């Protein structure tokens, strides 16, 4: 087709057709065939569109020819050497999101082995209060920044949010290397929480945008394995690196890896941009995205039920984490190293269950899977109360906790995307920002309420009350139709 545009000069100058005309059509072809277009390249087509369909048809033919030449000059070729197929691009998206989630959780957990020693070295008198503020700052900042991350993601794009948040996480990690006061550590931890909100919002939105409903669950499950792997490897890698390299070199190296990861994501997405899918979800206008769409999102009963299930699940996790350390030490006399191995049972079960539940969510009702995760979490709280039967009951409790998290994470994130499509709620980023708020709120309210009940009554009462909340939410979620 481009040869016809070159005219009689083609025989005398075989490379003439590849010069200016083809370069122009190549640029316009990339801008019109790539799902995420640059406005500067998109505007010429919008200007030419009213001129007339014959001229536009010829222009489109030339564009198709220029794009096909990237695949080796065959106009009928649907693939080319400059970009990957749609299936490969989707696989690349899953790998990039899983890597981002892995790095996110790795940075959040790798300082756990030394945080007590680090705060002690700073001369903090009330170390318990300092530790409480340090760990709470991450969840508070993540919850507060989640709505902003949702808006910024909708204003830009999901891949831009993912790359920028990864770079921001690297900058926050670098502060840990240079921090000399407790307030600098607190600032860095809060910045990590804000970046984590953007990573979750951008990454999950990117998967929802690029995967159709039929395979979305499997993609979500595979991406969640990156988060579980980071949770599992963070304390181990952090402890080894701190012992061999020290705090400053460890955090500098971790920050450098994150920045390199952001650059690699930028390069890979530039070479093969992800392709969005359309499942009948038409985006509203910018005014509606921030006002009407947000109101419809917050008043949708199905969306609120799924997000409340996220809150209930993480409330149980939030109350079991601190109580389990006390119980294993006071009632079973288990050392700190063995306690870490016992808690890792939940991470391993989460790692195994997340991809399996993602695959199941593509073959059965996702609302039923979310409801089953709530039931499993309530059973886990029951086994915590039965720990007087032996340590095996606590093992079962921790294992079921990881299973419930894996099932709920994969199926609920997929179900939220389906509900956005069904009710035409606009951007996926808003619903994932709401889910991130529920996640952080559960980790904040769970320990507050659960520990208060534990002090008034018993440890089992605090955990069972949160487990009962999961059991009450399960029937509501099960009724959701999508």
């Amino acid at each position: 087709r481009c040869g016809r545009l070159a005219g009689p000069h083609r025989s005398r100058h075989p490379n003439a057709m590849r010069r200016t005309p083809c370069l122009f059509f190549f640029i316009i072809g990339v801008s019109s065939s790539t799902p995420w277009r640059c406005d500067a390249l998109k505007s010429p087509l919008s200007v030419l569109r009213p001129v007339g369909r014959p001229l536009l048809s010829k222009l489109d033919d030339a564009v198709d020819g220029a794009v096909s030449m990237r695949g080796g000059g065959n106009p009928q070729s649907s693939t080319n050497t400059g970009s990957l197929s749609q299936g490969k691009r989707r696989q690349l998206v899953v790998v990039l999101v899983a890597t981002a989630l892995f790095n996110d959780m790795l940075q959040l957990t790798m300082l756990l082995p030394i945080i007590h020693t680090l705060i002690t070295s700073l001369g903090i008198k009330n170390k318990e209060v300092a530790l409480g503020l340090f760990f709470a700052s991450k969840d508070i900042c993540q919850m507060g920044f989640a709505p902003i991350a949702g808006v910024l993601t909708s204003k830009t794009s999901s891949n831009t949010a993912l790359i920028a948040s990864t770079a921001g996480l690297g900058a926050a990690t670098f502060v840990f290397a240079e921090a000399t006061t407790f307030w600098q550590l607190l600032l860095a931890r809060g910045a990590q929480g804000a970046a984590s909100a953007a990573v979750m919002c951008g990454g999950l939105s990117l998967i929802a945008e690029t995967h159709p409903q039929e395979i979305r669950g499997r993609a979500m499950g595979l991406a969640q394995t990156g988060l579980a792997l980071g949770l599992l490897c963070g304390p181990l890698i952090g402890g080894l690196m701190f012992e061999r390299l020290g705090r400053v070199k460890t955090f500098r190296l971790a920050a450098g890896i994150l920045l390199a990861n952001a650059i690699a994501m930028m390069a890979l997405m530039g070479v093969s941009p992800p392709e969005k899918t359309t499942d009948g979800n038409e985006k509203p206008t910018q005014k509606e995205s921030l006002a009407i769409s947000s109101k419809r999102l917050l008043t949708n009963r199905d969306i609120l039920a799924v997000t409340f299930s996220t809150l209930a699940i993480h409330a149980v996790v939030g109350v079991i984490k601190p109580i389990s350390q006390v119980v294993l030490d006071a009632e079973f006399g288990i050392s700190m190293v063995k306690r870490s191995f016992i808690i890792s049972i939940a991470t391993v079960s989460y790692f195994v269950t997340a991809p399996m539940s993602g695959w199941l969510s593509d073959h059965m009702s996702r609302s039923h899977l979310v409801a089953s995760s709530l039931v499993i979490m309530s059973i886990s709280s029951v086994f915590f109360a039965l720990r007087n039967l032996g340590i095996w009951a606590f093992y079962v409790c921790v294992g079921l906790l990881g299973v419930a998290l894996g099932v709920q994470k994969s199926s609920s994130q997929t179900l939220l995307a389906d509900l956005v499509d069904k009710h035409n709620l606009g951007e996926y980023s808003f619903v994932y920002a709401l889910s991130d708020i529920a996640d952080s709120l559960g980790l904040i309210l769970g320990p507050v309420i659960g520990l208060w009940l534990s002090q008034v009554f018993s440890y089992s009462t605090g955990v069972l009350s949160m487990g009962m909340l999961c059991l009450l939410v399960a029937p509501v979620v099960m009724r959701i139709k999508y």
Side-chain angles (χ1 to χ4, degrees), residues 3 29 33 42 54 186 235 249-250 268 271 294 307 315 335 404 409 451:
S33 61
K42 184 174 65 174
L186 203 63
K249 291 183 178 180
T250 296
L268 289 172
V271 172
S294 299
T307 53
S335 63
K409 283 279 191 180
L451 290 176

Side-chain angles (χ1 to χ4, degrees), residues 173-181 184 247-248 251-252:
T173 304
F174 184 79
V175 176
F176 276 107
E178 310 300 329
T180 56
T181 65
Q184 291 176 348
R247 174 175 69 94
V248 176
F251 281 119
R252 285 178 178 176

Side-chain angles (χ1 to χ4, degrees), residues 93-104 223 226-227 258 261 265:
V93 166
V94 173
V95 171
L96 292 179
V97 173
T99 304
L101 294 178
F102 168 77
N103 286 324
D104 177 31
L227 191 147
L258 281 170
N261 184 27
M265 285 194 292

Side-chain angles (χ1 to χ4, degrees), residues 76-407:
Q76 304 299 328
S77 176
S78 60
T79 59
N80 50 69
T81 58
S83 62
L84 301 175
S85 64
Q86 188 178 30
K88 295 295 183 181
R89 290 186 183 190
R90 288 171 179 167
Q91 293 177 6
L92 178 62
V93 166
V94 173
V95 171
L96 292 179
V97 173
T99 304
L101 294 178
F102 168 77
N103 286 324
D104 177 31
M105 190 54 61
L106 184 72
Q107 305 307 314
L108 294 176
T109 57
M110 67 182 300
L111 51 81
L112 293 179
I114 66 147
I115 187 59
H116 186 272
T117 304
L118 182 60
I119 289 180
T120 303
S121 65
L122 296 176
I124 305 296
K125 295 181 179 180
N126 198 337
K127 292 181 289 185
E128 289 76 12
V129 175
L131 285 171
L133 287 174
F134 180 81
F135 287 110
S137 62
K138 180 261 179 185
D139 293 321
I140 294 173
C141 291
Q142 183 171 351
M143 181 180 64
F145 191 77
I148 302 175
V151 173
L152 292 178
T153 302
S154 66
K155 290 284 188 179
T156 56
S157 63
S158 301
N159 57 329
T160 302
L162 186 63
I163 294 171
S165 59
T166 302
L169 187 63
T173 304
F174 184 79
V175 176
F176 276 107
E178 310 300 329
T180 56
T181 65
F182 173 73
W183 297 111
Q184 291 176 348
L185 291 177
L186 203 63
L187 177 64
R189 187 65 172 180
Q192 280 188 334
S196 180
V199 168
M200 294 294 293
C201 190
L204 297 179
S205 298
L206 186 58
I207 290 181
E209 290 172 354
T210 56
H211 289 75
Q213 183 178 359
E214 294 77 16
I215 60 173
R216 192 178 285 160
R218 181 171 51 185
M220 287 287 184
L222 291 174
Q224 290 292 336
T225 57
L227 191 147
L229 190 61
L231 183 63
L232 182 65
C233 298
L236 177 62
I237 294 177
L240 293 175
M241 292 181 66
F242 290 134
E243 184 178 354
R244 293 178 179 272
L245 301 178
R247 174 175 69 94
V248 176
K249 291 183 178 180
T250 296
F251 281 119
R252 285 178 178 176
L253 179 61
I257 292 174
L258 281 170
L259 294 177
N261 184 27
I263 295 173
M265 285 194 292
M266 187 185 304
L268 289 172
M269 289 186 180
V271 172
S272 296
E275 295 183 0
K276 292 185 180 181
T277 60
T278 55
D279 289 336
N281 179 26
E282 299 179 358
K283 291 183 181 180
T285 62
Q286 289 290 352
K287 184 177 180 180
E288 291 177 338
S289 296
L290 297 177
I292 300 175
S293 184
S294 299
K295 181 180 179 180
R296 288 190 295 149
L297 187 72
L298 295 174
T299 55
N300 188 284
R301 294 183 179 180
D302 294 341
I303 295 290
L304 293 179
V306 178
T307 53
F308 196 79
S309 71
T310 302
L311 187 149
I313 285 279
H314 287 85
V316 178
V317 177
V319 70
I320 283 183
K321 280 200 306 184
I323 290 180
S324 62
Q325 299 294 324
V326 178
V327 167
L328 290 174
D329 182 27
E331 298 183 8
F332 296 101
I334 296 177
S335 63
M336 182 180 298
V337 177
K338 290 184 179 179
R339 292 202 299 267
S340 300
F341 280 108
I342 293 175
I343 299 301
S344 66
I345 295 175
T347 308
V348 173
S349 59
Y350 177 22
F351 178 79
V352 174
T353 308
M356 294 175 58
S357 61
W359 181 86
L360 284 175
S361 66
D362 290 335
H363 297 82
M364 61 179 294
S365 173
R366 287 161 183 164
S367 58
H368 289 179
L369 276 175
V370 177
S372 66
S373 69
L374 293 166
V375 175
I376 294 172
M377 186 61 83
S378 63
I379 296 174
S380 172
S381 65
V382 172
F383 274 97
F384 180 87
L386 297 176
R387 66 188 182 279
N388 57 341
L389 299 178
I391 190 64
W392 64 268
F394 193 85
Y395 292 160
V396 175
C397 164
V398 175
L400 290 178
L401 184 144
V403 171
L405 268 179
V407 175

Side-chain angles (χ1 to χ4, degrees), residues 12-34:
R12 288 182 294 172
H13 303 284
N15 293 327
M17 57 175 287
R18 300 182 183 270
R19 293 177 183 174
T20 305
C22 275
L23 179 61
F24 171 76
F25 291 134
F26 170 77
I27 295 174
I28 300 298
V30 171
S31 66
S32 61
S33 61
T34 303

